[in-house]
């Protein structure tokens, strides 16, 4: 895949996750000494509590992934260029699902274990431990270009729109537009994802 493509999963949500590893870990905070609980008559709403309530309201408004994981497309079983594109699209949806829920099993079904794309799965798992689940709407994407790289290998490029989101810890992720390229290969009578790359519109 062209070197100008950043080796990341997506734009925005997983911008900090590279296929070489996980997102940078947040600095550890020193444990504080336990304090005595305040009497009920002394409890008052603090700015921190107000901020937490606001964040909860924002998360509720944004929503999160509800229901089952994305369904594997029937055309994904076809040894055709459409089959390759359908599996690539499924991989993107499965990645988005994993970011929301921490469940990478759908991704694992279509990712080659001995190729760079498989590191994406470990990266998401590590990132999920740090940030928790995401709140917001699913990615919107459409196939833009499909190129035959070699026999039974395709590069599938998608235009992607990622709505504004928020992490469980309250970090806001701005909306993004960009491209995701997914390389698929017919291996053992199945399409498998080998490698992925991404570009923001700004790049």
């Amino acid at each position: 895949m062209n070197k100008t493509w950043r080796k990341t999963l997506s734009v925005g949500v997983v911008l900090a996750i590279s296929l070489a590893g996980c997102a940078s870990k947040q600095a550890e905070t020193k444990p504080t000494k336990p304090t005595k609980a305040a009497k009920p008559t002394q409890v008052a709403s603090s700015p921190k509590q107000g901020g937490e309530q606001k964040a909860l309201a924002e998360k509720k408004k944004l929503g999160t992934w509800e229901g089952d994981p994305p369904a594997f497309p029937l055309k994904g079983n076809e040894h055709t260029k459409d089959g390759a594109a359908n599996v690539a699209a499924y991989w993107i949806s499965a990645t988005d699902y994993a970011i929301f829920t921490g469940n990478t099993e759908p991704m694992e079904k279509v990712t080659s274990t001995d190729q760079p794309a498989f590191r994406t799965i470990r990266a998401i798992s590590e990132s999920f431990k740090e940030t928790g689940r995401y709140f917001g709407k699913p990615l919107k994407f459409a196939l833009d270009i499909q190129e035959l790289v070699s026999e039974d290998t395709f590069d599938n490029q998608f235009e992607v729109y990622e709505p504004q989101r928020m992490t469980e810890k309250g970090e806001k992720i701005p909306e993004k537009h960009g491209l995701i390229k997914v390389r698929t290969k017919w291996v053992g009578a199945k399409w498998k994802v080998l490698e992925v790359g991404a570009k923001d519109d700004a790049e």
Side-chain angles (χ1 to χ4, degrees), residues 16-193:
I17 305 174
S18 71
L19 294 179
C22 63
S24 299
K25 293 186 176 181
Q26 297 179 0
E28 294 183 1
T29 55
K30 295 181 179 180
T32 55
K33 294 181 179 179
T35 56
K36 293 182 179 180
K39 295 179 180 179
T41 54
Q42 296 176 323
V43 175
S45 178
S46 66
K48 182 180 179 181
Q49 289 173 327
E52 289 174 350
Q53 291 173 353
K54 184 179 179 181
L56 284 172
E58 286 188 65
K59 290 174 186 177
K60 186 175 180 181
K61 183 178 178 180
L62 287 170
T64 189
W65 192 293
E66 300 290 349
D68 297 328
F72 186 81
L74 292 177
K75 282 195 172 184
N77 295 313
E78 298 178 1
H79 187 191
T80 63
K81 66 177 184 178
D82 286 343
N86 271 265
V87 169
Y90 171 78
W91 190 91
I92 293 175
S93 291
T95 300
D96 206 30
Y97 171 74
I99 291 164
F100 274 100
T101 66
N103 183 359
T104 60
E105 287 185 14
M107 291 178 66
E108 293 174 28
K109 293 178 181 178
V110 293
T111 306
S112 287
T113 58
D114 59 347
Q115 295 295 322
F118 195 77
R119 293 201 294 270
T120 303
I121 295 169
R122 292 197 297 269
I124 287 180
S125 296
E126 290 300 318
S127 178
F128 193 82
K129 292 176 184 177
E130 294 292 324
T131 64
R133 69 185 301 125
Y134 275 72
F135 295 84
K137 302 298 181 184
L139 291 175
K140 294 181 179 180
F141 57 91
L143 184 64
D144 179 34
I145 300 171
Q146 187 181 48
E147 298 176 335
L148 180 65
V149 178
S150 60
E151 185 179 359
D152 286 338
T153 303
F154 288 91
D155 274 348
N156 310 273
Q157 180 175 300
F158 295 83
E159 292 184 349
V160 180
Y161 166 67
E162 184 178 288
Q164 180 184 332
R165 295 175 174 180
M166 179 184 285
T167 69
E168 194 166 0
K169 292 186 175 182
E171 179 187 359
K172 292 183 178 180
I173 311 295
E175 67 175 12
K176 291 282 185 179
H177 292 82
L179 300 171
I180 294 178
K181 186 182 288 187
V182 182
R183 179 165 292 178
T184 50
K185 183 176 183 177
W186 186 255
V187 181
K190 294 179 181 178
W191 288 108
K192 290 287 188 177
V193 174

